[in-house]
Amino acid sequence: MKLGQIKSNGSVVAAIFEDTTHARPIPDYSMYDLVIRADKEGTDLKTLAGRLASAHIEVVTPLIPIAPREVWGAGCTYEISSSFRDAEHGTREGFYRAVFEGGRPELFFKGTARIAVGPGQPIGIREDSKFTAPEPELAVLIGSKGQIFGYTVSNDVSAWDIEKENPLYLPQSKTFTGCAALGPVFVTPDEIGDVYKLEMTCKITRGDKTTFEGSTSTAKLGRKIEDIIGYLLRSNQVPCGTVLQTGTGIIVTQESALAPGDIVTITIPQIGTLSNPAAMV
Ligand code: DO4
Ligand code: MG
């Protein structure tokens, strides 16, 4: 099942998507309300949504699929992310590789719903960054016990030049207005298939010019998603409705540093396409 949020009768409500532009609203429930109820009752999200959804189908535009309580990022989960950073940042040799290979994953806090945007909404370029990059990532929506409610496409927008200046600046490179894009929908675990066999593509366009094209597969993800969630939850009771971005396997070039008006389009065919314009924040 594909679940997200739409505007229906003037309110933002959860909805079951039949295809990219048609959905059945779930009146009186936001996506957050829905997962909170599924979490409390221990109900399967798909069964609950199916029970509460209207029979009628509306023509819709997908909004951000949840107002996330928290957004977290995992880093250096793909070899290319750690080797790029070791080469680029001139850090002690193997600094990032040690994280890719280590038992403990890199985890960082992106923010709350305040910093998150949905399909079509602007992602941020910091005014003090000259190299802000999209990081296309598979993301998971989790409950209070770390159970996975769904998978979505995400963008861990990052100011790479600030991170490069000094790794201790990582929080500033990762957290700012519009630093996390999510959507268009969550796909429930029963429908996603093998999460370690998802192809992902990213394209950046500037007017009619393509400034970057790249792809990866979650087959290259160096960790099990459940293990990353396990570390996230260690002595850290993240709330139901938290989104975890699982790391990037696509590294853009310096020439494709985001400029205002660029459009970043990320696709995972089993989930959909997330497209966002970039804007100064
Ligand atoms: O270590 C820096 C951040 C890494 C990251 O965000 C990623 O690999 O996706
Ligand atoms: Mg990332």
Side-chain angles (χ1 to χ4, degrees):
M1 180 180 282
K2 290 191 168 81
L3 285 162
Q5 294 198 124
I6 59 167
K7 199 141 196 202
S8 177
N9 285 331
S11 319
V12 174
V13 294
I16 299 177
F17 278 74
E18 304 292 337
D19 58 37
T20 51
T21 53
H22 294 87
R24 291 192 289 132
I26 304 179
D28 304 324
Y29 280 81
S30 67
M31 189 67 186
Y32 176 68
D33 298 332
L34 200 65
V35 291
I36 281 287
R37 180 161 170 190
D39 194 67
K40 277 205 183 105
E41 294 178 357
T43 332
D44 173 53
L45 184 63
K46 181 180 169 177
T47 311
L48 181 65
R51 230 168 43 216
L52 295 171
S54 308
H56 80 272
I57 294 176
E58 296 183 9
V59 176
V60 299
T61 303
L63 305 175
I64 188 165
I66 192 167
R69 278 323 175 246
E70 296 182 1
V71 181
W72 290 79
C76 298
T77 51
Y78 290 76
E79 195 279 333
I80 193 171
S81 175
S82 58
S83 55
F84 160 75
R85 287 177 153 92
D86 274 328
E88 179 71 8
H89 296 191
T91 39
R92 180 164 56 86
E93 205 186 315
F95 180 93
Y96 288 92
R97 169 162 285 278
V99 175
F100 174 68
E101 289 173 350
R104 183 188 288 276
E106 176 193 7
L107 285 164
F108 48 86
F109 185 57
K110 292 286 284 180
T112 59
R114 180 182 67 77
I115 55 78
V117 299
Q121 293 184 302
I123 48 173
I125 303 172
R126 288 183 65 116
E127 53 87 17
D128 57 355
S129 167
K130 296 261 175 299
F131 189 2
T132 293
E135 292 190 8
E137 306 189 5
L138 175 70
V140 289
L141 171 62
I142 60 175
S144 62
K145 292 170 205 69
Q147 71 274 38
I148 298 175
F149 282 125
Y151 297 86
T152 195
V153 181
S154 79
N155 189 342
D156 167 24
V157 187
S158 305
W160 281 355
D161 51 344
I162 295 177
E163 180 192 335
K164 181 177 171 179
E165 202 178 326
N166 189 311
L168 294 183
Y169 294 151
L170 186 82
Q172 292 172 78
S173 78
K174 290 294 186 186
T175 299
F176 47 91
T177 302
C179 69
L182 308 171
V185 292
F186 288 109
V187 177
T188 52
D190 58 291
E191 199 176 296
I192 195 80
D194 186 343
V195 283
Y196 302 103
K197 281 192 186 146
L198 302 176
E199 299 300 316
M200 194 183 317
T201 56
C202 174
K203 187 172 177 175
I204 307 177
T205 51
R206 186 168 299 163
D208 53 12
K209 197 171 145 237
T210 297
T211 62
F212 176 82
E213 262 183 303
S215 64
T216 191
S217 162
T218 54
K220 295 181 180 162
L221 180 58
R223 295 179 188 270
K224 291 286 169 243
I225 295 170
E226 281 76 7
D227 292 345
I228 307 175
I229 296 171
Y231 271 96
L232 176 64
L233 265 57
R234 282 191 182 190
S235 301
N236 183 34
Q237 184 56 67
V238 301
C240 174
T242 289
V243 170
L244 170 68
Q245 300 178 308
T246 60
T248 191
I250 297 177
I251 298 295
V252 305
T253 53
Q254 170 85 59
E255 298 69 49
S256 48
L258 292 179
D262 285 358
I263 308 283
V264 180
T265 302
I266 305 168
T267 300
I268 298 176
Q270 289 85 339
I271 301 172
T273 293
L274 173 65
S275 192
N276 300 90
M280 298 306 295
V281 291

